[in-house]
Amino acid sequence: MVSQKQPVYVLGVGMTKFIKPRGKVDYPELGFEAGVKAMLDAHINYDDVDQGVACYCYGDSTCGQRVFYQFGMTGIPIYNVNNNCSTGSTGLYMGRNMIAHGAADCVLVVGFEKMFPGSLQTFFQDRANPTGTTGLMMKETRGVTKAPGAAQMFGNAGREHMEKYGSKTEDFAEIARVNHAHSKNNPYSQFQDEYTLDQIMKAPMIHEPLTKLQCCPTSDGSAAAVLVSQAFLDARPELKSQAILIAGQCLATDKPALFNRSAIELVGYSMSELAAQTALKEANVKPEEVKVCELHDCFSANEMVTIEALGLTARGKAHELIRKGGITYGGQVVINPSGGLISKGHPLGATGLAQCAELVWHMRGWANNRSVKDTTVALQHNLGLGGAVVVTVYKRADGKAAQDVSNEEVGRINNLGYNPAVVAKGFTKAQVDQVRSKKARSEWALQDTEQKVEARF
């Protein structure tokens, strides 16, 4: 029997702006920026960190140490995590477990990715592909086209939804329209362009019903979170107002239904459903209580089926919720206020932690330009084919609804002079000095990373 979990809080978050993958910024720089921001936000020094978790898909082993050694070389355990597109939230899940079961009081989780332009690709051609059995089922049930593999997989799920439940191509386009519209309020978003429904539907077709503007781009970027125990927080009572409780969480993998010849199941419907039910039950939350949600909209079709898997609507009814404006401001639940993967971008290892940052800002009341009134619960969903999915439920430490905090007040609270939820800025040398280890720092490990980050701002 797994022992009783202790409460775990997100005390600090930080992220870089997500950018097009053009090779201009390397991962040590991206990870350093996000990690420094998260520690500044948490008001901690790297010497307070007991364990580190690095999250990335594209990179050689121990990229995590390359990033973390820049903060300090304190000898702590550093784990390198790769769990496909759910890598970032898998790191979050690991960090929470470490603290919940007494292995740490403070864990720094940093997700980063330096990607290649164009659609996702396989690097190892001399061995079995981990999603090979999934691809084989797709080939047998729906055939294969020249479109990118992921677009086919998720596009087919959209086709099945249309066939079974009566959703239409414009319903999928509306999901993308909403996410692109939301992104204009997120300073970290790769794209901040609004489009009409007609523009989205007339964009180049990738794999019906998915047009180009309904597919997430590849991105470079990083995001980080500082997780702490109750004891760590109790020793710093002045920080309790910014600490957000991970009230429920589940990392789930596929069930046999994956291979039941359903295109919807083939993109992980059952594991998303299992993770959502488990996390919501742990948090003692009903789906209808959720006012704000960051979900894994790698393609608009995945948002369609995930709305149902999370229990936000009954199965086969997501398009009805979308048609009545139910997924944006003024509706039942605001989905992807950040712009989602479709507009914000999707640097694989960073995505789950960027979702975390967005929802932490909402629960604190800092996301005042895109807040959702009376939010007491926030829901996060991050999925990777292969497969793994993490669903996380957040609540305020005081159990109350989030209230908007002014930018001036946020700047006073965090000693940064600005609100990181609504403005993307860099940091000063003095601020970097504040969070780097006092007892075990290495200038050799840092090289010129700090100057490079400062130069970009």
Side-chain angles (χ1 to χ4, degrees):
M1 183 68 186
V2 178
S3 61
Q4 181 68 37
K5 292 177 185 162
Q6 300 304 309
V8 180
Y9 300 89
V10 184
L11 186 60
V13 292
M15 65 181 288
T16 70
K17 189 169 172 59
F18 286 2
I19 57 176
K20 289 181 179 179
R22 297 293 181 261
K24 292 180 179 176
V25 188
D26 210 351
Y27 76 89
E29 198 180 323
L30 294 165
F32 182 76
E33 181 186 335
V36 166
K37 286 177 174 179
M39 287 189 282
L40 284 169
D41 189 47
H43 300 268
I44 67 161
N45 179 272
Y46 188 66
D47 292 336
D48 298 316
V49 176
D50 299 316
Q51 305 208 35
V53 185
C55 311
Y56 62 95
C57 293
Y58 297 116
D60 291 323
S61 191
T62 68
C63 285
Q65 282 85 325
R66 180 75 172 81
V67 168
F68 275 74
Y69 285 178
Q70 299 175 119
F71 309 132
M73 299 179 74
T74 54
I76 61 168
I78 295 169
Y79 306 85
N80 290 272
V81 180
N82 178 347
N83 221 9
N84 222 339
C85 301
S86 63
T87 294
S89 56
T90 299
L92 194 67
Y93 177 85
M94 286 173 62
R96 187 209 186 196
N97 268 348
M98 290 169 193
I99 295 168
H101 298 294
D105 279 312
C106 179
V107 175
L108 174 62
V109 188
V110 183
F112 50 86
E113 210 71 70
K114 181 181 179 183
M115 299 185 73
F116 297 93
S119 55
L120 300 184
Q121 50 198 293
T122 300
F123 284 87
F124 299 102
Q125 306 296 338
D126 64 340
R127 64 204 71 184
N129 186 314
T131 57
T133 47
T134 307
L136 202 59
M137 179 59 73
M138 179 179 81
K139 184 179 179 182
E140 195 169 295
T141 52
R142 295 266 171 177
V144 176
T145 70
K146 288 181 178 173
Q152 291 183 62
M153 201 85 73
F154 287 100
N156 290 342
R159 292 179 183 186
E160 183 175 304
H161 198 278
M162 293 165 75
E163 293 157 8
K164 275 189 174 178
Y165 307 120
S167 52
K168 297 192 176 341
T169 52
E170 50 266 39
D171 298 321
F172 295 93
E174 174 64 8
I175 288 170
R177 189 198 66 77
V178 167
N179 288 342
H180 284 291
H182 287 174
S183 72
K184 70 180 188 293
N185 294 318
N186 180 7
Y188 301 93
S189 188
Q190 184 169 333
F191 300 113
Q192 291 184 292
D193 303 311
E194 274 195 81
Y195 299 94
T196 64
L197 190 66
D198 193 51
Q199 284 174 310
I200 288 166
M201 292 185 72
K202 285 180 177 170
M205 183 61 71
I206 305 300
H207 185 81
E208 199 170 340
L210 304 174
T211 62
K212 188 176 181 181
L213 292 172
Q214 297 175 56
C215 306
C216 72
T218 46
S219 318
D220 290 351
S222 180
V226 174
L227 309 182
V228 302
S229 67
Q230 187 70 57
F232 191 98
L233 188 60
D234 287 344
R236 297 159 180 79
E238 72 280 6
L239 299 178
K240 288 198 173 181
S241 67
Q242 73 176 61
I244 303 302
L245 176 69
I246 297 179
Q249 192 176 48
C250 177
L251 188 163
T253 53
D254 290 299
K255 298 169 83 173
L258 179 73
F259 299 129
N260 72 0
R261 305 181 74 80
S262 157
I264 290 173
E265 284 293 352
L266 208 54
V267 295
Y269 184 94
S270 281
M271 68 174 175
S272 289
E273 187 176 52
L274 170 64
Q277 288 172 353
T278 307
L280 288 164
K281 185 180 179 184
E282 184 191 352
N284 194 25
V285 167
K286 294 183 175 67
E288 52 269 26
E289 293 175 63
V290 175
K291 290 271 175 54
V292 61
C293 172
E294 283 283 310
L295 69 75
H296 198 89
D297 62 317
C298 47
F299 300 90
S300 60
N302 199 43
E303 180 163 332
M304 180 74 78
V305 300
T306 301
I307 287 168
E308 297 169 12
L310 297 179
L312 298 172
T313 63
R315 190 153 193 179
K317 301 289 185 186
H319 56 292
E320 295 178 13
L321 179 69
I322 291 157
R323 286 172 189 174
K324 62 185 183 190
I327 60 169
T328 189
Y329 295 88
Q332 176 188 311
V333 53
V334 175
I335 295 178
N336 292 329
S338 68
L341 282 59
I342 282 175
S343 197
K344 180 178 63 189
H346 183 26
L348 309 191
T351 286
L353 291 154
Q355 291 178 323
C356 169
E358 177 71 17
L359 295 177
V360 163
W361 287 327
H362 278 269
M363 296 310 295
R364 287 179 183 171
W366 291 16
N368 55 39
N369 68 338
R370 55 189 184 278
S371 59
V372 185
K373 197 170 164 25
D374 301 324
T375 294
T376 56
V377 176
L379 183 66
Q380 175 189 351
H381 165 271
N382 184 205
L383 172 138
L385 294 181
V389 62
V390 184
V391 172
T392 308
V393 182
Y394 300 94
K395 291 181 178 179
R396 288 174 58 89
D398 59 14
K400 295 178 181 173
Q403 301 289 330
D404 279 359
V405 182
S406 72
N407 294 338
E408 294 72 27
E409 180 65 8
V410 172
R412 190 190 62 75
I413 292 166
N414 63 12
N415 296 325
L416 298 178
Y418 76 98
N419 179 359
V422 299
V423 183
K425 284 190 177 181
F427 35 67
T428 64
K429 191 175 188 333
Q431 287 168 335
V432 170
D433 193 55
Q434 197 179 311
V435 298
R436 288 184 72 215
S437 171
K438 302 295 182 196
K439 65 184 184 187
R441 66 170 62 176
S442 165
E443 300 315 314
W444 187 261
L446 184 60
Q447 297 286 316
D448 61 348
T449 298
E450 184 189 317
Q451 293 93 315
K452 283 178 176 172
V453 174
E454 286 178 23
R456 279 194 285 113
F457 287 95

